[in-house]
Amino acid sequence: MEQWESRGHLLTEQINPNSLNLDQLNPLELVDLFNQEDAQTLKAIAMARQELALAISLTSQALAKGGRLFYIGAGTSGRLGVLDAAECPPTFCTPPELVQGIIAGGAAALVRSSEDLEDKAEDGAAVIAQREIHELDVVVGITAGGTTPYVHGALQAAKQRGATTIAISCVPAEQVEIAVDVDIRLLTGPELLAGSTRLKAGTVTKMALNILSTGTMVMLGKVYGNQMVDVAVTNHKLHDRALRIICNLSDISREEAAILLEKSGRRVKLALLMQKTGLSAAAGQELLQKHRGQLRAALQAYNQID
């Protein structure tokens, strides 16, 4: 894309006046300067609060109708998307296909630099076709500098297929235009190490993805209060967490919680519903399904009937 051959004007490529003597700082001065600059990430999130909220709303609505959430990016941006997607199944017990991360270069690019693969828009469009993305899906293109052809190609192809499109970038709209449904701009300013967007840009992107995925799962009923009641009980740590969640949200002992968890098929949300209503596992699961997995709604409905 010829208009981006010279990228020096981009916010993420500019020289940071606060770090002109970076190579002369001692370790403590380095840490202090990083800490000072990283404060910009919180401001950037605050400035994008409306767009982030809209992204959560649209994504949760799409997933509730049977859609999927895709993150797509190259380099650091792609790795962050894959990381967030990979963390959804253990945290929220979601199937692996519900939230997917796509990185230019595939799995190999997660551990070895492959930034040269980001320059082909047609590759981004091709992966959208390969994943059979459709109108119920949500595609989040992540590109710190806003110019990555791979991401632009993917977003354009996703839009043509009727999917909801979201962009996350760290440059102002007037520097790079991105035609999407939700345009999230996280403006953290020039990096301490000029052009190294794995720093503030990477940090703020991870923050935004945390908010988007967690907010979406809250809207889908994966959380009760502030606890992950759809946690996947797949190891000792998560088994302990499941028991503590049940104990925290009900007035029973850890031993009673362990028995209840097994009766529910190791499904924390169902175990809680059984404890609070006295329903069997089958009846409890039926009630949850009737209320789209929303524990609070299921409990309210039961109490009204009761």
Side-chain angles (χ1 to χ4, degrees):
M1 297 187 180
E2 294 180 1
Q3 70 267 35
W4 296 329
E5 286 183 0
S6 177
R7 304 175 73 253
H9 67 290
L10 297 177
L11 185 62
T12 52
E13 295 294 325
Q14 293 171 13
I15 303 298
N16 190 324
N18 297 326
S19 61
L20 294 176
N21 62 338
L22 188 65
D23 64 335
Q24 301 173 51
L25 301 181
N26 64 43
L28 184 56
E29 289 170 335
L30 281 168
V31 171
D32 288 344
L33 185 56
F34 268 99
N35 189 35
Q36 172 188 319
E37 287 292 316
D38 283 342
Q40 299 302 317
T41 61
L42 297 176
K43 296 178 182 178
I45 291 291
M47 292 299 293
R49 56 190 288 274
Q50 295 285 358
E51 291 80 7
L52 284 166
L54 179 57
I56 290 171
S57 180
L58 293 177
T59 302
S60 60
Q61 290 172 28
L63 269 56
K65 294 176 182 177
R68 302 164 295 171
L69 170 61
F70 291 88
Y71 297 128
I72 187 160
T76 298
S77 295
R79 294 180 191 103
L80 289 170
V82 171
L83 174 62
D84 196 77
E87 290 173 341
C88 286
T91 307
F92 302 110
C93 209
T94 56
E97 61 271 15
L98 185 67
V99 183
Q100 301 180 38
I102 302 171
I103 182 172
L110 292 172
V111 293
R112 179 171 296 181
S113 174
S114 59
E115 276 70 0
D116 57 312
L117 298 174
E118 70 181 49
D119 290 337
K120 295 182 178 179
E122 60 270 26
D123 288 354
V127 78
I128 295 297
Q130 290 167 7
R131 300 294 175 105
E132 298 182 337
I133 285 169
H134 52 72
E135 69 277 1
L136 291 181
D137 293 329
V138 177
V139 176
V140 181
I142 310 170
T143 165
T147 64
T148 307
Y150 181 84
V151 174
H152 279 264
L155 287 171
Q156 184 177 14
K159 201 170 188 67
Q160 290 172 349
R161 287 171 167 261
T164 298
T165 53
I166 299 171
I168 296 178
S169 63
C170 300
V171 293
E174 58 268 24
Q175 291 187 350
V176 179
E177 181 180 349
I178 308 177
V180 287
D181 298 305
V182 186
D183 191 1
I184 300 171
R185 303 285 174 154
L186 305 171
L187 307 182
T188 54
E191 299 287 4
L192 284 180
L193 181 62
S196 183
T197 51
R198 69 185 184 89
L199 302 179
K200 282 187 301 186
T203 299
V204 78
T205 297
K206 181 65 170 73
M207 293 167 67
L209 295 178
N210 286 346
I211 293 169
L212 175 55
S213 59
T214 305
T216 294
M217 295 304 163
V218 169
M219 300 297 291
L220 292 174
K222 300 288 186 179
V223 174
Y224 186 81
N226 64 351
Q227 299 193 54
M228 53 177 78
V229 291
D230 259 339
V231 63
V233 185
T234 54
N235 61 24
H236 292 303
K237 178 189 74 175
L238 295 174
H239 185 263
D240 169 66
R241 180 175 297 162
L243 293 178
R244 285 187 287 108
I245 290 170
I246 295 172
C247 291
N248 289 342
L249 294 174
S250 62
D251 189 23
I252 61 176
S253 67
R254 186 178 174 90
E255 291 72 24
E256 292 172 312
I259 294 171
L260 192 59
L261 184 62
E262 294 306 314
K263 286 183 178 180
S264 70
R266 294 197 163 195
R267 290 171 287 181
V268 174
K269 187 191 294 182
L270 178 57
L272 285 165
L273 183 62
M274 292 166 63
Q275 191 277 328
K276 293 178 181 295
T277 64
L279 291 172
S280 67
Q285 186 60 32
E286 184 179 348
L287 183 60
L288 277 173
Q289 289 176 344
K290 183 178 179 181
H291 294 279
R292 298 188 175 185
Q294 297 276 355
L295 177 57
R296 194 174 297 278
L299 285 171
Q300 289 172 348
Y302 177 84
N303 290 332
Q304 288 173 359
I305 295 171
D306 191 52

